[in-house]
Amino acid sequence: MTGKPVVPPIEYEAASDEVRAVYDDIMRTRKVDWINNFWKVLAHDPALLRRTWEDLKQVMAPGALDPLVKEMLYIAVSATNGCEYCIYSHTASARAKGMSEAQLMELLAVVGMANQTNRLANGLRPPVDPQFEPRG
């Protein structure tokens, strides 16, 4: 995903009060002093920025899944979808949460294998085994 952005990032100093409020919450929640470019381009639509941030904050909050597992899942989906920005962003976040290089490589091996077997299953359409179906 190289090249120029579709819309230029909106820096904090140029942001509306509504956008600054979201930027402030992002920095406070993440305990950082900067806003990454993903949020800066979403700022062209303040409602989209706010909604996306609130949803992400809720989904990535502590829950049944460990925070590192959530970041690794984000990497897996981002790799499958080919989102370079999200791969870099969530790999950095996962590393900050303790992910090792061995874990990253194993994760990507699983992602590659899952994509391969998914494509084979989608193409061949084997019937789902009754043992795999949820029990009522």
Side-chain angles (χ1 to χ4, degrees):
M1 188 163 51
T2 57
K4 296 168 93 172
V6 174
V7 294
I10 295 178
E11 299 299 332
Y12 188 90
E13 300 75 26
S16 67
D17 290 343
E18 182 180 11
V19 167
R20 283 185 187 188
V22 177
Y23 284 1
D24 289 340
D25 188 40
I26 292 169
M27 289 187 289
R28 186 172 42 256
T29 301
R30 292 185 164 172
K31 299 176 177 62
V32 296
D33 62 356
W34 63 286
I35 297 296
N36 65 6
N37 287 328
F38 176 75
W39 302 112
K40 290 177 185 177
V41 297
L42 288 185
H44 285 274
D45 182 340
L48 175 63
L49 170 68
R50 182 176 51 263
R51 185 173 59 250
T52 304
W53 169 243
E54 291 299 327
D55 288 349
L56 182 80
K57 191 166 59 167
Q58 181 180 357
V59 168
M60 298 303 280
L65 294 175
D66 176 89
L68 176 57
V69 170
K70 289 184 178 190
E71 292 295 344
M72 292 173 77
L73 287 167
Y74 225 111
I75 295 166
V77 172
S78 299
T80 296
N81 288 333
C83 182
E84 178 184 38
Y85 189 91
C86 293
I87 292 167
Y88 275 93
S89 171
H90 290 278
T91 298
S93 186
R95 285 179 172 143
K97 289 176 174 61
M99 181 183 69
S100 68
E101 293 304 302
Q103 287 175 307
L104 175 61
M105 296 309 295
E106 190 170 330
L107 170 67
L108 293 175
V110 171
V111 168
M113 182 53 56
N115 276 298
Q116 177 185 342
T117 58
N118 283 184
R119 285 184 174 86
L120 289 168
N122 282 340
L124 296 169
R125 298 282 190 210
V128 175
D129 299 277
Q131 297 89 331
F132 296 155
E133 294 178 6
R135 300 189 194 282

mmCIF file with all atom_site columns, all heavy atoms in Angstrom, residues 77-96:
data_model
loop_
_atom_site.group_PDB
_atom_site.id
_atom_site.type_symbol
_atom_site.label_atom_id
_atom_site.label_alt_id
_atom_site.label_comp_id
_atom_site.label_asym_id
_atom_site.label_entity_id
_atom_site.label_seq_id
_atom_site.pdbx_PDB_ins_code
_atom_site.Cartn_x
_atom_site.Cartn_y
_atom_site.Cartn_z
_atom_site.occupancy
_atom_site.B_iso_or_equiv
_atom_site.pdbx_formal_charge
_atom_site.auth_seq_id
_atom_site.auth_comp_id
_atom_site.auth_asym_id
_atom_site.auth_atom_id
_atom_site.pdbx_PDB_model_num
ATOM 1   N N   . VAL A 1 77 ? -5.853 -11.374 10.333 1.00 0.00 ? 77 VAL A N   1
ATOM 2   C CA  . VAL A 1 77 ? -6.881 -10.888 9.411  1.00 0.00 ? 77 VAL A CA  1
ATOM 3   C C   . VAL A 1 77 ? -6.282 -9.857  8.460  1.00 0.00 ? 77 VAL A C   1
ATOM 4   O O   . VAL A 1 77 ? -6.572 -9.856  7.256  1.00 0.00 ? 77 VAL A O   1
ATOM 5   C CB  . VAL A 1 77 ? -8.080 -10.317 10.192 1.00 0.00 ? 77 VAL A CB  1
ATOM 6   C CG1 . VAL A 1 77 ? -9.070 -9.642  9.256  1.00 0.00 ? 77 VAL A CG1 1
ATOM 7   C CG2 . VAL A 1 77 ? -8.770 -11.421 10.989 1.00 0.00 ? 77 VAL A CG2 1
ATOM 8   N N   . SER A 1 78 ? -5.427 -8.996  8.978  1.00 0.00 ? 78 SER A N   1
ATOM 9   C CA  . SER A 1 78 ? -4.805 -7.964  8.134  1.00 0.00 ? 78 SER A CA  1
ATOM 10  C C   . SER A 1 78 ? -3.918 -8.590  7.066  1.00 0.00 ? 78 SER A C   1
ATOM 11  O O   . SER A 1 78 ? -3.902 -8.119  5.917  1.00 0.00 ? 78 SER A O   1
ATOM 12  C CB  . SER A 1 78 ? -4.007 -6.991  9.007  1.00 0.00 ? 78 SER A CB  1
ATOM 13  O OG  . SER A 1 78 ? -4.863 -6.350  9.932  1.00 0.00 ? 78 SER A OG  1
ATOM 14  N N   . ALA A 1 79 ? -3.186 -9.639  7.419  1.00 0.00 ? 79 ALA A N   1
ATOM 15  C CA  . ALA A 1 79 ? -2.347 -10.333 6.432  1.00 0.00 ? 79 ALA A CA  1
ATOM 16  C C   . ALA A 1 79 ? -3.227 -10.975 5.364  1.00 0.00 ? 79 ALA A C   1
ATOM 17  O O   . ALA A 1 79 ? -2.927 -10.890 4.164  1.00 0.00 ? 79 ALA A O   1
ATOM 18  C CB  . ALA A 1 79 ? -1.470 -11.375 7.122  1.00 0.00 ? 79 ALA A CB  1
ATOM 19  N N   . THR A 1 80 ? -4.319 -11.588 5.776  1.00 0.00 ? 80 THR A N   1
ATOM 20  C CA  . THR A 1 80 ? -5.229 -12.230 4.831  1.00 0.00 ? 80 THR A CA  1
ATOM 21  C C   . THR A 1 80 ? -5.876 -11.205 3.903  1.00 0.00 ? 80 THR A C   1
ATOM 22  O O   . THR A 1 80 ? -6.042 -11.445 2.706  1.00 0.00 ? 80 THR A O   1
ATOM 23  C CB  . THR A 1 80 ? -6.302 -13.028 5.591  1.00 0.00 ? 80 THR A CB  1
ATOM 24  O OG1 . THR A 1 80 ? -5.652 -14.084 6.300  1.00 0.00 ? 80 THR A OG1 1
ATOM 25  C CG2 . THR A 1 80 ? -7.326 -13.630 4.665  1.00 0.00 ? 80 THR A CG2 1
ATOM 26  N N   . ASN A 1 81 ? -6.221 -10.042 4.459  1.00 0.00 ? 81 ASN A N   1
ATOM 27  C CA  . ASN A 1 81 ? -6.861 -8.993  3.659  1.00 0.00 ? 81 ASN A CA  1
ATOM 28  C C   . ASN A 1 81 ? -5.856 -8.131  2.899  1.00 0.00 ? 81 ASN A C   1
ATOM 29  O O   . ASN A 1 81 ? -6.252 -7.285  2.099  1.00 0.00 ? 81 ASN A O   1
ATOM 30  C CB  . ASN A 1 81 ? -7.726 -8.096  4.545  1.00 0.00 ? 81 ASN A CB  1
ATOM 31  C CG  . ASN A 1 81 ? -8.981 -8.802  5.002  1.00 0.00 ? 81 ASN A CG  1
ATOM 32  O OD1 . ASN A 1 81 ? -9.486 -9.703  4.350  1.00 0.00 ? 81 ASN A OD1 1
ATOM 33  N ND2 . ASN A 1 81 ? -9.497 -8.393  6.147  1.00 0.00 ? 81 ASN A ND2 1
ATOM 34  N N   . GLY A 1 82 ? -4.571 -8.312  3.166  1.00 0.00 ? 82 GLY A N   1
ATOM 35  C CA  . GLY A 1 82 ? -3.544 -7.549  2.469  1.00 0.00 ? 82 GLY A CA  1
ATOM 36  C C   . GLY A 1 82 ? -3.469 -6.092  2.890  1.00 0.00 ? 82 GLY A C   1
ATOM 37  O O   . GLY A 1 82 ? -3.121 -5.236  2.081  1.00 0.00 ? 82 GLY A O   1
ATOM 38  N N   . CYS A 1 83 ? -3.770 -5.797  4.146  1.00 0.00 ? 83 CYS A N   1
ATOM 39  C CA  . CYS A 1 83 ? -3.726 -4.415  4.630  1.00 0.00 ? 83 CYS A CA  1
ATOM 40  C C   . CYS A 1 83 ? -2.353 -4.128  5.243  1.00 0.00 ? 83 CYS A C   1
ATOM 41  O O   . CYS A 1 83 ? -2.102 -4.417  6.417  1.00 0.00 ? 83 CYS A O   1
ATOM 42  C CB  . CYS A 1 83 ? -4.830 -4.159  5.657  1.00 0.00 ? 83 CYS A CB  1
ATOM 43  S SG  . CYS A 1 83 ? -4.825 -2.442  6.228  1.00 0.00 ? 83 CYS A SG  1
ATOM 44  N N   . GLU A 1 84 ? -1.481 -3.558  4.428  1.00 0.00 ? 84 GLU A N   1
ATOM 45  C CA  . GLU A 1 84 ? -0.117 -3.270  4.866  1.00 0.00 ? 84 GLU A CA  1
ATOM 46  C C   . GLU A 1 84 ? -0.098 -2.394  6.118  1.00 0.00 ? 84 GLU A C   1
ATOM 47  O O   . GLU A 1 84 ? 0.637  -2.663  7.065  1.00 0.00 ? 84 GLU A O   1
ATOM 48  C CB  . GLU A 1 84 ? 0.648  -2.578  3.736  1.00 0.00 ? 84 GLU A CB  1
ATOM 49  C CG  . GLU A 1 84 ? 2.064  -2.195  4.110  1.00 0.00 ? 84 GLU A CG  1
ATOM 50  C CD  . GLU A 1 84 ? 2.765  -1.433  2.997  1.00 0.00 ? 84 GLU A CD  1
ATOM 51  O OE1 . GLU A 1 84 ? 2.124  -0.604  2.323  1.00 0.00 ? 84 GLU A OE1 1
ATOM 52  O OE2 . GLU A 1 84 ? 3.971  -1.672  2.823  1.00 0.00 ? 84 GLU A OE2 1
ATOM 53  N N   . TYR A 1 85 ? -0.908 -1.336  6.120  1.00 0.00 ? 85 TYR A N   1
ATOM 54  C CA  . TYR A 1 85 ? -0.915 -0.413  7.257  1.00 0.00 ? 85 TYR A CA  1
ATOM 55  C C   . TYR A 1 85 ? -1.252 -1.151  8.551  1.00 0.00 ? 85 TYR A C   1
ATOM 56  O O   . TYR A 1 85 ? -0.565 -1.004  9.559  1.00 0.00 ? 85 TYR A O   1
ATOM 57  C CB  . TYR A 1 85 ? -1.922 0.730   7.022  1.00 0.00 ? 85 TYR A CB  1
ATOM 58  C CG  . TYR A 1 85 ? -1.797 1.800   8.073  1.00 0.00 ? 85 TYR A CG  1
ATOM 59  C CD1 . TYR A 1 85 ? -0.946 2.874   7.877  1.00 0.00 ? 85 TYR A CD1 1
ATOM 60  C CD2 . TYR A 1 85 ? -2.491 1.709   9.274  1.00 0.00 ? 85 TYR A CD2 1
ATOM 61  C CE1 . TYR A 1 85 ? -0.792 3.850   8.848  1.00 0.00 ? 85 TYR A CE1 1
ATOM 62  C CE2 . TYR A 1 85 ? -2.343 2.675   10.252 1.00 0.00 ? 85 TYR A CE2 1
ATOM 63  C CZ  . TYR A 1 85 ? -1.501 3.742   10.043 1.00 0.00 ? 85 TYR A CZ  1
ATOM 64  O OH  . TYR A 1 85 ? -1.337 4.685   11.023 1.00 0.00 ? 85 TYR A OH  1
ATOM 65  N N   . CYS A 1 86 ? -2.309 -1.961  8.516  1.00 0.00 ? 86 CYS A N   1
ATOM 66  C CA  . CYS A 1 86 ? -2.733 -2.671  9.722  1.00 0.00 ? 86 CYS A CA  1
ATOM 67  C C   . CYS A 1 86 ? -1.731 -3.755  10.132 1.00 0.00 ? 86 CYS A C   1
ATOM 68  O O   . CYS A 1 86 ? -1.548 -4.002  11.325 1.00 0.00 ? 86 CYS A O   1
ATOM 69  C CB  . CYS A 1 86 ? -4.126 -3.269  9.531  1.00 0.00 ? 86 CYS A CB  1
ATOM 70  S SG  . CYS A 1 86 ? -5.415 -2.013  9.386  1.00 0.00 ? 86 CYS A SG  1
ATOM 71  N N   . ILE A 1 87 ? -1.088 -4.385  9.164  1.00 0.00 ? 87 ILE A N   1
ATOM 72  C CA  . ILE A 1 87 ? -0.054 -5.377  9.496  1.00 0.00 ? 87 ILE A CA  1
ATOM 73  C C   . ILE A 1 87 ? 1.052  -4.701  10.298 1.00 0.00 ? 87 ILE A C   1
ATOM 74  O O   . ILE A 1 87 ? 1.450  -5.193  11.362 1.00 0.00 ? 87 ILE A O   1
ATOM 75  C CB  . ILE A 1 87 ? 0.517  -6.048  8.234  1.00 0.00 ? 87 ILE A CB  1
ATOM 76  C CG1 . ILE A 1 87 ? -0.536 -6.929  7.561  1.00 0.00 ? 87 ILE A CG1 1
ATOM 77  C CG2 . ILE A 1 87 ? 1.767  -6.872  8.574  1.00 0.00 ? 87 ILE A CG2 1
ATOM 78  C CD1 . ILE A 1 87 ? -0.161 -7.378  6.150  1.00 0.00 ? 87 ILE A CD1 1
ATOM 79  N N   . TYR A 1 88 ? 1.544  -3.574  9.806  1.00 0.00 ? 88 TYR A N   1
ATOM 80  C CA  . TYR A 1 88 ? 2.605  -2.859  10.522 1.00 0.00 ? 88 TYR A CA  1
ATOM 81  C C   . TYR A 1 88 ? 2.134  -2.371  11.892 1.00 0.00 ? 88 TYR A C   1
ATOM 82  O O   . TYR A 1 88 ? 2.817  -2.546  12.901 1.00 0.00 ? 88 TYR A O   1
ATOM 83  C CB  . TYR A 1 88 ? 3.109  -1.671  9.694  1.00 0.00 ? 88 TYR A CB  1
ATOM 84  C CG  . TYR A 1 88 ? 4.167  -2.028  8.691  1.00 0.00 ? 88 TYR A CG  1
ATOM 85  C CD1 . TYR A 1 88 ? 3.837  -2.341  7.383  1.00 0.00 ? 88 TYR A CD1 1
ATOM 86  C CD2 . TYR A 1 88 ? 5.505  -2.063  9.054  1.00 0.00 ? 88 TYR A CD2 1
ATOM 87  C CE1 . TYR A 1 88 ? 4.808  -2.665  6.453  1.00 0.00 ? 88 TYR A CE1 1
ATOM 88  C CE2 . TYR A 1 88 ? 6.488  -2.382  8.127  1.00 0.00 ? 88 TYR A CE2 1
ATOM 89  C CZ  . TYR A 1 88 ? 6.130  -2.687  6.830  1.00 0.00 ? 88 TYR A CZ  1
ATOM 90  O OH  . TYR A 1 88 ? 7.106  -3.007  5.921  1.00 0.00 ? 88 TYR A OH  1
ATOM 91  N N   . SER A 1 89 ? 0.972  -1.742  11.918 1.00 0.00 ? 89 SER A N   1
ATOM 92  C CA  . SER A 1 89 ? 0.456  -1.156  13.155 1.00 0.00 ? 89 SER A CA  1
ATOM 93  C C   . SER A 1 89 ? 0.248  -2.213  14.239 1.00 0.00 ? 89 SER A C   1
ATOM 94  O O   . SER A 1 89 ? 0.687  -2.053  15.387 1.00 0.00 ? 89 SER A O   1
ATOM 95  C CB  . SER A 1 89 ? -0.865 -0.435  12.851 1.00 0.00 ? 89 SER A CB  1
ATOM 96  O OG  . SER A 1 89 ? -1.499 -0.025  14.032 1.00 0.00 ? 89 SER A OG  1
ATOM 97  N N   . HIS A 1 90 ? -0.432 -3.291  13.887 1.00 0.00 ? 90 HIS A N   1
ATOM 98  C CA  . HIS A 1 90 ? -0.749 -4.296  14.907 1.00 0.00 ? 90 HIS A CA  1
ATOM 99  C C   . HIS A 1 90 ? 0.433  -5.209  15.221 1.00 0.00 ? 90 HIS A C   1
ATOM 100 O O   . HIS A 1 90 ? 0.505  -5.758  16.327 1.00 0.00 ? 90 HIS A O   1
ATOM 101 C CB  . HIS A 1 90 ? -2.020 -5.047  14.516 1.00 0.00 ? 90 HIS A CB  1
ATOM 102 C CG  . HIS A 1 90 ? -3.216 -4.155  14.635 1.00 0.00 ? 90 HIS A CG  1
ATOM 103 N ND1 . HIS A 1 90 ? -3.843 -3.928  15.830 1.00 0.00 ? 90 HIS A ND1 1
ATOM 104 C CD2 . HIS A 1 90 ? -3.837 -3.380  13.718 1.00 0.00 ? 90 HIS A CD2 1
ATOM 105 C CE1 . HIS A 1 90 ? -4.824 -3.059  15.649 1.00 0.00 ? 90 HIS A CE1 1
ATOM 106 N NE2 . HIS A 1 90 ? -4.836 -2.713  14.366 1.00 0.00 ? 90 HIS A NE2 1
ATOM 107 N N   . THR A 1 91 ? 1.378  -5.345  14.294 1.00 0.00 ? 91 THR A N   1
ATOM 108 C CA  . THR A 1 91 ? 2.613  -6.063  14.633 1.00 0.00 ? 91 THR A CA  1
ATOM 109 C C   . THR A 1 91 ? 3.397  -5.264  15.660 1.00 0.00 ? 91 THR A C   1
ATOM 110 O O   . THR A 1 91 ? 3.910  -5.821  16.643 1.00 0.00 ? 91 THR A O   1
ATOM 111 C CB  . THR A 1 91 ? 3.457  -6.344  13.378 1.00 0.00 ? 91 THR A CB  1
ATOM 112 O OG1 . THR A 1 91 ? 2.707  -7.185  12.490 1.00 0.00 ? 91 THR A OG1 1
ATOM 113 C CG2 . THR A 1 91 ? 4.768  -7.041  13.725 1.00 0.00 ? 91 THR A CG2 1
ATOM 114 N N   . ALA A 1 92 ? 3.476  -3.953  15.480 1.00 0.00 ? 92 ALA A N   1
ATOM 115 C CA  . ALA A 1 92 ? 4.158  -3.103  16.470 1.00 0.00 ? 92 ALA A CA  1
ATOM 116 C C   . ALA A 1 92 ? 3.467  -3.203  17.822 1.00 0.00 ? 92 ALA A C   1
ATOM 117 O O   . ALA A 1 92 ? 4.126  -3.321  18.867 1.00 0.00 ? 92 ALA A O   1
ATOM 118 C CB  . ALA A 1 92 ? 4.195  -1.655  15.992 1.00 0.00 ? 92 ALA A CB  1
ATOM 119 N N   . SER A 1 93 ? 2.152  -3.176  17.818 1.00 0.00 ? 93 SER A N   1
ATOM 120 C CA  . SER A 1 93 ? 1.399  -3.271  19.076 1.00 0.00 ? 93 SER A CA  1
ATOM 121 C C   . SER A 1 93 ? 1.586  -4.641  19.730 1.00 0.00 ? 93 SER A C   1
ATOM 122 O O   . SER A 1 93 ? 1.751  -4.744  20.955 1.00 0.00 ? 93 SER A O   1
ATOM 123 C CB  . SER A 1 93 ? -0.082 -3.005  18.814 1.00 0.00 ? 93 SER A CB  1
ATOM 124 O OG  . SER A 1 93 ? -0.798 -2.959  20.020 1.00 0.00 ? 93 SER A OG  1
ATOM 125 N N   . ALA A 1 94 ? 1.566  -5.696  18.934 1.00 0.00 ? 94 ALA A N   1
ATOM 126 C CA  . ALA A 1 94 ? 1.764  -7.047  19.485 1.00 0.00 ? 94 ALA A CA  1
ATOM 127 C C   . ALA A 1 94 ? 3.169  -7.205  20.052 1.00 0.00 ? 94 ALA A C   1
ATOM 128 O O   . ALA A 1 94 ? 3.356  -7.811  21.110 1.00 0.00 ? 94 ALA A O   1
ATOM 129 C CB  . ALA A 1 94 ? 1.494  -8.101  18.408 1.00 0.00 ? 94 ALA A CB  1
ATOM 130 N N   . ARG A 1 95 ? 4.150  -6.649  19.361 1.00 0.00 ? 95 ARG A N   1
ATOM 131 C CA  . ARG A 1 95 ? 5.523  -6.705  19.898 1.00 0.00 ? 95 ARG A CA  1
ATOM 132 C C   . ARG A 1 95 ? 5.603  -5.965  21.228 1.00 0.00 ? 95 ARG A C   1
ATOM 133 O O   . ARG A 1 95 ? 6.268  -6.429  22.154 1.00 0.00 ? 95 ARG A O   1
ATOM 134 C CB  . ARG A 1 95 ? 6.506  -6.113  18.887 1.00 0.00 ? 95 ARG A CB  1
ATOM 135 C CG  . ARG A 1 95 ? 6.789  -7.032  17.722 1.00 0.00 ? 95 ARG A CG  1
ATOM 136 C CD  . ARG A 1 95 ? 7.736  -6.400  16.725 1.00 0.00 ? 95 ARG A CD  1
ATOM 137 N NE  . ARG A 1 95 ? 8.147  -7.365  15.718 1.00 0.00 ? 95 ARG A NE  1
ATOM 138 C CZ  . ARG A 1 95 ? 8.339  -7.079  14.450 1.00 0.00 ? 95 ARG A CZ  1
ATOM 139 N NH1 . ARG A 1 95 ? 8.173  -5.836  14.010 1.00 0.00 ? 95 ARG A NH1 1
ATOM 140 N NH2 . ARG A 1 95 ? 8.705  -8.009  13.601 1.00 0.00 ? 95 ARG A NH2 1
ATOM 141 N N   . ALA A 1 96 ? 4.928  -4.828  21.330 1.00 0.00 ? 96 ALA A N   1
ATOM 142 C CA  . ALA A 1 96 ? 4.926  -4.077  22.586 1.00 0.00 ? 96 ALA A CA  1
ATOM 143 C C   . ALA A 1 96 ? 4.248  -4.861  23.704 1.00 0.00 ? 96 ALA A C   1
ATOM 144 O O   . ALA A 1 96 ? 4.552  -4.656  24.884 1.00 0.00 ? 96 ALA A O   1
ATOM 145 C CB  . ALA A 1 96 ? 4.221  -2.736  22.392 1.00 0.00 ? 96 ALA A CB  1
#
